[in-house]
Amino acid sequence: MTEDSQRNFRSVYYEKVGFRGVEEKKSLEILLKDDRLDIEKLCTFSQRFPLPSMYRALVWKVLLGILPPHHESHAKVMTYRREQYSDVLHALNVIRFVSDATPQVEVYLRMYQLESGKLPRSSSYPLEPEDEAFLAIAKAMEEMVEDTVDCYWIIRCFVNQLNTKYQDSLPQLPKAFEQYLNLEDSRLLTHLKMCSAVSRLPYEIWFKRCFAGCLPESSLQRVWDKVVSGSCKILVFVAVEILLTFKIKVMALNSAEKITKFLENVTQAFYAITF
């Protein structure tokens, strides 16, 4: 039996007995042992399989450019990252923009604003929509990443990716959502149009916040694996799946307001996404 056939046999066996993902984990561990991590292969793996939780932060840091591909540089680079984190935090404390009582997610926001040149003149200024999106993502990320320095850098680079790499793609997602929903269930899309609900769906939550605060952590991590590794289109597929899952309820609602409110609330209980 060849090595490939043995691997295929083991994969089928593990899946049948309830150990799906064992082979995938081994494959990832092999990739992570390379002296120079192969970014393309890590992206491909993240697109195809959910990352094991024990390796997720490391892979995200590499794919987001927080860590370089070379293993030998990781410790030194993270030392620099921690020093920069401390310097920015110290500056915010000096100008009294944050204190020990400031919620951690707000600290992350102020740090990001300071580093990007968008810190308002006063902490009492109302938050912009982009700030609200940042806070939602930060709150979700805080549940996934224990280390505060790692958490800040991942949030920072994740948001930067949305604002740069996906800057042109994100505004197109509502249109793509409509196209895919039409392919999956044209009757459901027709109902949404008759209720004038298509333009009023919670796109801000779905696409600009990447479902932060809407999906349970286990599902959100899998979605963000895809976003981090280069695909924001996964957000469209998740949105379509939500509509299909709650089709009966949505079809029973007869106004845009009711449909939007229902979808904003119902995603809190949406635990059945599989990729």
Side-chain angles (χ1 to χ4, degrees), residues 93-144:
N93 276 291
V94 169
I95 61 177
R96 298 181 180 179
F97 237 92
V98 300
S99 68
D100 292 341
T102 305
Q104 189 62 48
V105 291
E106 186 178 333
V107 172
Y108 292 146
L109 172 63
R110 299 309 184 188
M111 291 178 68
Y112 179 77
Q113 289 177 327
L114 180 59
E115 290 200 283
S116 58
K118 297 179 180 179
L119 190 69
R121 293 184 179 181
S122 171
S123 59
S124 62
Y125 278 28
L127 297 175
E128 299 291 335
E130 63 183 37
D131 299 330
E132 297 285 1
F134 183 99
L135 287 174
I137 291 171
K139 186 175 181 180
M141 196 73 76
E142 191 179 35
E143 298 297 318
M144 303 178 191

Side-chain angles (χ1 to χ4, degrees), residues 173-179 181 188-189 191-193 195-208 211 236 239-240 242-244 250 253 255-264 266-267:
L173 296 188
K175 183 177 180 180
F177 162 79
E178 186 175 338
Q179 293 172 342
L181 183 60
L188 178 54
L189 177 61
H191 175 72
L192 293 176
K193 288 182 176 180
C195 296
S196 301
V198 175
S199 63
R200 300 181 61 178
L201 296 175
Y203 297 127
E204 180 83 19
I205 296 174
W206 291 352
F207 303 146
K208 292 188 178 180
F211 292 95
V236 172
V240 169
I242 288 174
L243 264 294
L244 295 177
V250 171
L253 300 174
S255 72
E257 290 80 8
K258 291 179 180 179
I259 292 173
T260 301
K261 184 177 180 180
F262 171 75
L263 291 174
E264 287 177 344
V266 81
T267 47

Side-chain angles (χ1 to χ4, degrees), residues 16-237:
K16 283 186 176 180
V17 297
F19 289 98
R20 182 183 180 188
V22 172
E23 283 293 287
E24 287 79 3
K25 181 182 176 183
K26 289 183 178 179
S27 297
L28 178 60
E29 288 174 343
I30 292 172
L31 291 177
L32 293 177
K33 287 180 181 178
D34 291 341
D35 292 334
R36 187 183 189 283
L37 300 178
D38 191 316
I39 303 298
E40 185 176 346
K41 288 182 179 179
L42 286 176
C43 284
T44 299
F45 182 95
S46 300
Q47 289 293 312
R48 294 184 61 191
F49 311 108
L51 292 169
S53 57
M54 64 188 297
Y55 297 122
R56 179 168 279 113
L58 171 61
V59 174
W60 281 8
K61 285 194 290 183
V62 171
L63 296 185
L64 290 170
I66 300 166
L67 288 175
H70 295 281
H71 270 294
E72 60 188 24
S73 302
H74 285 188
K76 182 178 291 186
V77 170
M78 278 313 301
T79 297
Y80 295 148
R81 300 296 191 195
R82 291 184 183 279
E83 290 174 353
Q84 184 175 339
Y85 178 94
S86 297
D87 290 343
V88 176
L89 181 57
H90 177 69
L92 288 170
N93 276 291
V94 169
I95 61 177
R96 298 181 180 179
F97 237 92
V98 300
S99 68
D100 292 341
T102 305
Q104 189 62 48
V105 291
E106 186 178 333
V107 172
Y108 292 146
L109 172 63
R110 299 309 184 188
M111 291 178 68
Y112 179 77
Q113 289 177 327
L114 180 59
E115 290 200 283
S116 58
K118 297 179 180 179
L119 190 69
R121 293 184 179 181
S122 171
S123 59
S124 62
Y125 278 28
L127 297 175
E128 299 291 335
E130 63 183 37
D131 299 330
E132 297 285 1
F134 183 99
L135 287 174
I137 291 171
K139 186 175 181 180
M141 196 73 76
E142 191 179 35
E143 298 297 318
M144 303 178 191
V145 183
E146 293 183 5
D147 184 89
T148 54
V149 176
D150 282 352
C151 190
Y152 170 68
W153 278 101
I154 292 174
I155 296 165
R156 179 184 189 270
C157 294
F158 185 89
V159 171
N160 280 341
Q161 185 183 59
L162 295 179
N163 294 336
T164 54
K165 183 176 181 178
Y166 298 140
Q167 182 179 17
D168 296 329
S169 301
L170 288 177
Q172 305 302 319
L173 296 188
K175 183 177 180 180
F177 162 79
E178 186 175 338
Q179 293 172 342
Y180 278 98
L181 183 60
N182 185 52
L183 291 174
E184 294 291 335
D185 196 319
S186 59
R187 183 165 170 262
L188 178 54
L189 177 61
T190 299
H191 175 72
L192 293 176
K193 288 182 176 180
M194 289 180 61
C195 296
S196 301
V198 175
S199 63
R200 300 181 61 178
L201 296 175
Y203 297 127
E204 180 83 19
I205 296 174
W206 291 352
F207 303 146
K208 292 188 178 180
R209 301 186 185 186
C210 299
F211 292 95
C214 297
L215 298 178
E217 182 182 333
S218 58
S219 295
L220 192 61
Q221 287 175 338
R222 295 186 175 200
V223 174
W224 285 6
D225 284 344
K226 275 55 172 183
V227 176
V228 168
S229 58
S231 174
C232 66
K233 206 167 187 179
I234 183 66
L235 302 174
V236 172
F237 299 143

